[in-house]
Amino acid sequence: MSTPVSERSVRLLDSMLPIFRFLSESTWSRRRGDPGICDFSMGNPHEMPLRELVDAYSRWIEPRDKHWYAYKMNEAASREVLAGSLQQWRNMPFETEDIFVTNGAIAALAVVLGTIVDPGDEIIFISPPWFQYEGMILNAGGVPVRIRARDGTFDLDLPAIDEAIGPKTRAVIINSPQNPTGRIYQPEILNELAGMLVAKSRKSGRTVYLISDEAYSRIVFDGKTYPSPVSFYPESFMLNTYGKVLLAPGERIGFIALPPGMSEKAVIRKSLLVSQMINGW
């Protein structure tokens, strides 16, 4: 008997079943909300939203013109603010036209995958991963390729990544600081990864992109510094969100940024815009 849903939906369901079981059958599900428990499962805040965020919402909710709540995307003012902030923070000359405002980092990843992935393209991601990578790759028509982090250190297993990259590889997703391990990938590792991606791209004649998920890049402790992977490899997409640092993850405020040295920018800019429109982000 045929299934009432698509084969893609079946694959997506299979990829998400462990999460559904965790949410409904685990010890966590039975103790969720217990007083005194620190719940780090979903990246939700343990404190009230920042007062400055609430004040900003109060100040800007009043419409300034008839188009205040109209259909629009990538407002120039927000792109300029984001570009200026990135220039100062990352010491890289990001351009306003290279910033794409999205509904959080999840939407940013969906837009990027929709831009670069053809059916059957392989996307490498690091395990243990953020739980939606596999499903989002499948939803974009790609093939998820899971590479385990190094035991003990949770660092990138560069030999394993090198071996996994083949003619169908389209991108490598890395998340630093990594969710759930907290690992910050250091410059020497990122340099080696960048060199590997350059060599693999030349060999196949097709760019292998780096997708840098930087959702936790502003949440760094113990005097550590955070090196952005896009500083090491120009063929990268920076994905970011303000939801975590502003203690308001459900507000879905995020963006995509293209680094200054990225090639084929004119085409990628237009394609990202189309992907935003098609994906509804």
Side-chain angles (χ1 to χ4, degrees):
M1 181 179 294
S2 64
T3 176
V5 298
S6 68
E7 291 183 8
R8 183 188 65 174
S9 292
V10 173
R11 292 196 300 271
L12 287 171
L13 178 59
D14 288 342
S15 75
M16 294 298 289
L17 275 177
I19 303 303
F20 292 149
R21 291 195 183 104
F22 172 78
L23 293 175
S24 61
E25 301 172 12
S26 66
T27 302
W28 172 87
S29 69
R30 295 190 294 273
R31 300 194 63 189
R32 185 181 186 184
D34 282 4
I37 290 180
C38 293
D39 182 359
F40 298 108
S41 58
M42 298 295 172
N44 280 324
H46 293 172
E47 306 288 342
M48 294 294 285
L50 298 179
R51 184 70 248 174
E52 293 84 353
L53 176 66
V54 177
D55 290 343
Y57 279 148
S58 300
R59 187 166 63 253
W60 291 99
I61 196 170
E62 185 69 29
R64 305 301 201 265
D65 56 57
K66 63 182 179 181
H67 299 297
W68 202 251
Y69 293 110
Y71 291 118
K72 51 188 176 178
M73 51 201 294
N74 293 317
E75 289 285 272
S78 59
R79 298 175 91 182
E80 289 171 6
V81 169
L82 284 165
S85 173
L86 285 174
Q87 289 167 11
Q88 184 176 18
W89 183 41
R90 303 311 321 161
N91 195 28
M92 296 173 65
F94 285 90
E95 299 180 56
T96 300
E97 295 78 8
D98 292 332
I99 309 296
F100 298 82
V101 184
T102 62
N103 293 340
I106 294 177
L109 179 57
V111 169
V112 168
L113 292 174
T115 299
I116 64 173
V117 175
D118 283 321
D121 280 348
E122 295 176 353
I123 308 295
I124 293 172
F125 65 102
I126 309 304
S127 184
W130 175 61
F131 66 89
Q132 280 187 228
Y133 284 149
E134 184 175 1
M136 293 184 71
I137 293 166
L138 289 169
N139 194 51
V143 178
V145 178
R146 183 188 294 253
I147 301 295
R148 285 184 58 85
R150 286 192 176 278
D151 291 339
T153 65
F154 296 117
D155 221 332
L156 295 177
D157 189 338
L158 293 176
I161 295 173
D162 182 65
E163 185 176 350
I165 296 176
K168 292 186 177 181
T169 304
R170 189 51 164 163
V172 177
I173 300 175
I174 64 172
N175 173 210
S176 177
Q178 208 264 355
N179 176 10
T181 69
R183 183 68 181 181
I184 299 174
Y185 302 132
Q186 295 303 304
E188 56 271 19
I189 293 288
L190 296 174
N191 248 330
E192 192 171 344
L193 175 64
M196 178 194 306
L197 297 181
V198 168
K200 294 289 187 177
S201 297
R202 287 175 179 166
K203 182 177 180 179
S204 67
R206 187 184 189 213
T207 301
V208 179
Y209 289 104
L210 183 66
I211 300 175
S212 180
D213 179 353
E214 306 191 7
Y216 292 92
S217 56
R218 291 182 182 271
I219 305 176
V220 178
F221 301 97
D222 300 328
K224 297 185 183 300
T225 57
Y226 169 73
S228 173
V230 304
S231 302
F232 298 83
Y233 185 61
E235 307 303 334
S236 300
F237 296 89
M238 177 193 286
L239 316 183
N240 215 321
T241 174
Y242 284 97
K244 308 300 186 186
V245 73
L246 294 179
L247 303 177
E251 292 303 287
R252 317 311 309 154
I253 306 171
F255 64 88
I256 303 163
L258 308 181
M262 185 182 231
S263 60
E264 306 290 345
K265 264 197 184 180
V267 174
I268 291 174
R269 284 170 175 168
K270 291 178 181 178
S271 298
L272 283 172
L273 182 60
V274 170
S275 185
Q276 278 187 301
M277 297 171 69
I278 296 298
N279 286 289
W281 307 116

